[in-house]
Amino acid sequence: MLEVQDLHVFYGGIHALKGVSLEVPEGRVVTLIGANGAGKSTLLRTICGLVKAREGHIFFNGYNITNLKPYEIIERGIAMVPEGRRIFSNLSTLENLFIGAYTRKDKAEIQKDLEWIFSLFPILKERALQSAGTLSGGEQQMLAIGRALMSRPKLLLMDEPSLGLAPFLVSQVFATINQLHAEGVTVLLVEQNARAAFQVADYGYVLEVGRVVLEGPCAELSCNDAVRKSYLGVQ
């Protein structure tokens, strides 16, 4: 479904991504782990068209999307849950959700998807008319996920969805990823909580200083000595 080929991205003189290649097959959950500054968020932002690549290509369902504008990429079926949630705090929960569907015209299907979001996150229905800025951190993360899903994406990019959440909310977020996987949503998950990421993902990539240094099924990566020491806290 998604294929990234030899991607090079620069921020001024900083070489942020150095020939990154990866694949995300349809219907799978793929995770990308790495330390702060490894380039994980940069990769997601490049896939979404928010950052331009200097070299390399990004293909989605066989189509080269490397130079498309962000709204064109959304229309093709990619949505992102950004790091830090980035909800519109001055708008209501419901208004935030409808913003996620702004490229769509099918009103009946939008309403159907809204009910689907409310079935995933019942608290959002209770908070529908409440200002999004007054929601708890966990509720805001649910809203950010719901807003992305309202575009009915074929591929969902998730950037550190567990960041800053209490442990019981982290469990809820990863339970949601499992549920989305079961419903056929394809996910590329960037996550520092490698242990939790490996439990929900099928395949993983390890990014270090802008390069993919390891990849493989998550069951194999979780047994790798270097991964265990650096990302799983096993000495």
Side-chain angles (χ1 to χ4, degrees), residues 27-49:
R28 308 290 290 276
V29 177
V30 173
T31 189
L32 182 65
I33 67 169
N36 282 332
K40 305 184 302 298
S41 294
T42 296
L43 176 59
L44 294 194
R45 289 171 60 81
T46 307
I47 293 169
C48 288

Side-chain angles (χ1 to χ4, degrees), residues 90-136:
N90 59 324
L91 300 180
S92 71
T93 296
L94 191 60
E95 288 169 330
N96 269 271
L97 291 171
F98 280 132
I99 284 174
Y102 83 100
T103 62
R104 299 174 57 182
K105 308 299 182 187
D106 50 339
K107 292 185 178 180
E109 291 300 312
I110 289 172
Q111 188 61 39
K112 188 182 297 184
D113 286 340
L114 181 63
E115 294 305 319
W116 174 53
I117 300 302
F118 285 155
S119 72
L120 287 174
F121 307 114
I123 192 65
L124 294 184
K125 188 169 188 177
E126 295 178 27
R127 305 276 195 268
L129 302 181
Q130 188 171 321
S131 172
T134 65
L135 302 180
S136 70

Side-chain angles (χ1 to χ4, degrees), residues 44-205:
L44 294 194
R45 289 171 60 81
T46 307
I47 293 169
C48 288
L50 297 171
V51 175
K52 292 303 179 185
R54 185 175 297 184
E55 297 178 34
H57 301 283
I58 303 168
F59 292 92
F60 183 62
N61 285 333
Y63 188 88
N64 190 340
I65 64 169
T66 312
N67 295 312
L68 294 186
K69 295 179 173 61
Y71 75 87
E72 294 173 317
I73 292 170
I74 292 171
E75 289 174 343
R76 287 191 172 272
I78 297 177
M80 182 163 74
V81 181
E83 181 183 353
R85 301 179 276 278
R86 304 290 180 88
I87 55 139
F88 297 98
S89 58
N90 59 324
L91 300 180
S92 71
T93 296
L94 191 60
E95 288 169 330
N96 269 271
L97 291 171
F98 280 132
I99 284 174
Y102 83 100
T103 62
R104 299 174 57 182
K105 308 299 182 187
D106 50 339
K107 292 185 178 180
E109 291 300 312
I110 289 172
Q111 188 61 39
K112 188 182 297 184
D113 286 340
L114 181 63
E115 294 305 319
W116 174 53
I117 300 302
F118 285 155
S119 72
L120 287 174
F121 307 114
I123 192 65
L124 294 184
K125 188 169 188 177
E126 295 178 27
R127 305 276 195 268
L129 302 181
Q130 188 171 321
S131 172
T134 65
L135 302 180
S136 70
E139 290 165 353
Q140 289 184 7
Q141 187 61 274
M142 295 174 199
L143 178 56
I145 296 170
R147 181 182 60 189
L149 291 173
M150 283 295 289
S151 69
R152 259 302 173 184
K154 299 180 180 73
L155 172 64
L156 183 65
L157 310 179
M158 305 185 78
D159 194 358
E160 304 284 7
S162 73
L163 187 66
L165 298 182
F168 78 96
L169 290 173
V170 171
S171 298
Q172 191 170 354
V173 165
F174 281 100
T176 300
I177 295 171
N178 269 329
Q179 186 172 351
L180 292 173
H181 186 200
E183 296 194 24
V185 178
T186 305
V187 178
L188 175 57
L189 170 68
V190 163
E191 182 57 58
Q192 283 198 40
N193 186 340
R195 190 179 301 276
F198 286 165
Q199 290 175 352
V200 297
D202 306 294
Y203 198 88
Y205 292 84

